[in-house]
Amino acid sequence: MLKTGVLYRYKDFLPITPQTPLFSLGEGDTPLVKCDQLAQEIGCGELYLKLEGCNPTGSFKDRGMVVAVAKALEEKSQAIMCASTGNTSASAAAYAAYCNLTAMIVVPEGKIALGKLAQAIVYGAEILTIEGNFDQALQIVRELTDKHPVTLVNSLNPHRIEGQKTASFEIIDILGDAPDYLFIPVGNAGNITAYWKGFKEYYELGKASKRPEMMGFQAEGAAPIVHGHPIEKPETVATAIRIGNPASWQQASAARDESGGLIDMVSDAEILAAQKLLATRAGVFGEPASAASLAGLVKLSRQGWDLAKKTIVCVITGTGLKDTDTALKDAPPFLQLPANVKEIEKALGWG
Ligand code: F0G
């Protein structure tokens, strides 16, 4: 693929030098889908979904990873490392494979969706599972990458944030202005940090007349920013955001305060209901964590927020195909029938 992707398209806005290699797996330029049916049901003006699951490894991580890996190559690094709840590791593994680097990933045992683990395995990463959660894994890789010549590619790496901010540019490029609100799931809090940076930069360049209010949503059992203290044992069905001590906590709070937005929480039941709503009303299959944005919007609308004249973007951060176990858990059984037209007509009530 030539001259498309985050590095080429937004070169002037990224920390790229003549020595930075430019390449792409096709990340970025994801769909912004207008959903009138959902907007009507929820009671908001215009509602758009930013489908980050359409990135090459199925999540928004690819936008930041392409920049982080390009800079790692520029710095002659041979290996990259990250802790992950699954999506960062899938992305790191893919970009490392493309660039002939070693990817080392540390994930919490038994708590990452199978599709994400499958990606890391198939892309050929070195995988370590730990008897601990994401926060412990992140602490470990911070120490290891401090000591050894390996590049950390978690969102503590500023190049990740630079790449991820391009999603805000795309929203403004398509809508012609910033939306009134941006709804986004919050885990380690890198993405809300990146979006806010992108919105501020485009605003300062005069490409938007305003900046959106940033509406971040954590899962109820993993809501350290909402509670104002780290959560030692975070728990949620949305394993991607099962995080108790976000690395970009301060930056996420700043995004909330500077934009006049909020960081709130949604329950697992609200997340799963929003995942279903997204699928059945918009034809979009997002993973549970990614549905936290829509769950947040539904929550505020039910609380009586007047959104009737507002333009809203919900970021759908990753594809549901990564976690079919969760999606199918309470699925009703379907009919099993003989290969016979008459029997099928009978079952359909046509005969
Ligand atoms: N949505 C999905 C699908 C994610 O994978 C993540 C984070 C988030 C939302 C939250 O984004 O951390 O920038 O606030 N996943 C990380 C990972 C932690 O390891 O894949 P954040």
Side-chain angles (χ1 to χ4, degrees), residues 58-61 83-89 116 134 154-155 160 164 185-192 240-241 243 287 289-290 317-319:
S59 86
F60 68 92
K61 306 287 180 177
S84 183
T85 56
N87 280 324
T88 300
S89 56
K116 301 173 188 179
F134 170 84
N154 280 104
S155 56
R160 280 277 313 279
Q164 284 171 213
V186 175
N188 209 27
N191 211 27
I192 190 171
I241 52 172
I243 294 174
E287 68 165 286
S290 71
T317 45
T319 173

Side-chain angles (χ1 to χ4, degrees), residues 49-50 116 148 177 181 200 292 349:
L49 305 175
K50 181 72 170 154
K116 301 173 188 179
H148 303 279
D177 205 343
Y181 293 108
K200 281 196 298 190

Side-chain angles (χ1 to χ4, degrees), residues 6 10 13-15 27-28 30 50 52 55 59-68 87-88 91 153-171 182 184-185 188-199 248 315 317:
V6 161
Y10 292 111
F13 303 89
L14 296 171
E27 66 293 321
T30 56
K50 181 72 170 154
E52 289 293 281
N55 278 297
S59 86
F60 68 92
K61 306 287 180 177
D62 297 336
R63 292 179 183 277
M65 200 57 68
V66 74
V67 182
N87 280 324
T88 300
S91 184
V153 294
N154 280 104
S155 56
L156 288 159
N157 179 329
H159 302 310
R160 280 277 313 279
I161 303 292
E162 290 300 309
Q164 284 171 213
K165 77 183 178 188
T166 61
S168 298
F169 297 167
E170 288 175 14
I171 290 171
L182 185 96
I184 185 169
N188 209 27
N191 211 27
I192 190 171
T193 301
Y195 269 83
W196 182 236
K197 187 167 198 284
F199 283 126
S248 299
V315 185
T317 45

